[in-house]
Amino acid sequence: MKNAVCAPLVLMIFLLAASGAAAQSGECNAIPWGEPISAVEQIEFSHVGDGVHYYRVTKVEACGLSKIEDTRVTYGFRNNRLYTTIVEIDKARDVGDVIALLMDEYGLPDHKKDGGWDIYQWDNDTLRIKLKSQYTTDRIKIGMYYKPLMGKE
């Protein structure tokens, strides 16, 4: 998995394991990175920002992190192809476990503090993963970005 051309919800499966939940039989039906919007069922338009069209997921299979945390999932499409998945958790059960799991999988992140948030970032050939955490509220935002669809930085 270190190469991570994985389906976007695979992160949720990793987070499920980090939280000590029992493994489930079967897999989630996540859409692969770069797939067209037509591959996603039951989503609702949210907004547009920086050329990315964001859609809230209105039906999420109970898999991965969704089984144990109250999550909100948003998909972002650039040029009509899946570019980003954003997962938000208002009260994470264990922020430290989530960060530790990502470190086990992707190595040491870059880290900085900004406006009351701790921001951790991992990069590999195909993905950028950014985790923003507010320890005072246990709030977490996790963004996964498909690098082949990223604009010039």
Side-chain angles (χ1 to χ4, degrees):
M1 287 290 242
K2 299 254 189 251
N3 297 11
V5 182
C6 304
L9 294 180
V10 77
L11 177 62
M12 288 185 193
I13 294 166
F14 291 147
L15 296 177
L16 176 66
S19 300
Q24 302 292 320
S25 60
E27 294 183 17
C28 299
N29 290 327
I31 63 170
W33 293 110
E35 284 294 305
I37 194 169
S38 61
V40 184
E41 296 179 9
Q42 298 185 350
I43 59 175
E44 176 181 286
F45 178 75
S46 175
H47 65 285
V48 176
D50 294 328
V52 178
H53 291 77
Y54 291 94
Y55 293 82
R56 288 184 294 272
V57 176
T58 57
K59 178 184 177 190
V60 177
E61 282 188 46
C63 63
L65 187 58
S66 297
K67 282 189 181 271
I68 58 169
E69 298 280 3
D70 183 21
T71 62
R72 287 182 310 285
V73 178
T74 304
Y75 288 133
F77 292 83
R78 177 171 274 158
N79 299 324
N80 198 38
R81 294 172 54 201
L82 182 61
Y83 160 65
T84 185
T85 299
I86 310 294
V87 178
E88 295 183 65
I89 308 166
D90 286 333
K91 289 286 185 184
R93 292 191 179 130
D94 197 334
V95 174
D97 281 351
V98 173
I99 293 168
L101 180 66
L102 287 168
M103 287 174 61
D104 285 347
E105 185 65 24
Y106 297 102
L108 292 174
D110 291 329
H111 176 254
K112 67 180 181 180
K113 291 183 181 268
D114 186 22
W117 292 87
D118 276 297
I119 302 170
Y120 299 86
Q121 183 171 305
W122 294 263
D123 281 286
N124 65 26
D125 292 341
T126 57
L127 289 179
R128 171 169 293 158
I129 301 168
K130 187 182 279 189
L131 183 146
K132 294 173 68 175
S133 172
Q134 275 185 329
Y135 285 103
T136 57
T137 64
D138 293 330
R139 186 171 175 212
I140 296 177
K141 289 181 175 183
I142 303 166
M144 297 181 73
Y145 305 90
Y146 185 51
K147 283 184 165 182
L149 294 180
M150 280 186 158
K152 300 282 185 209
E153 293 185 16

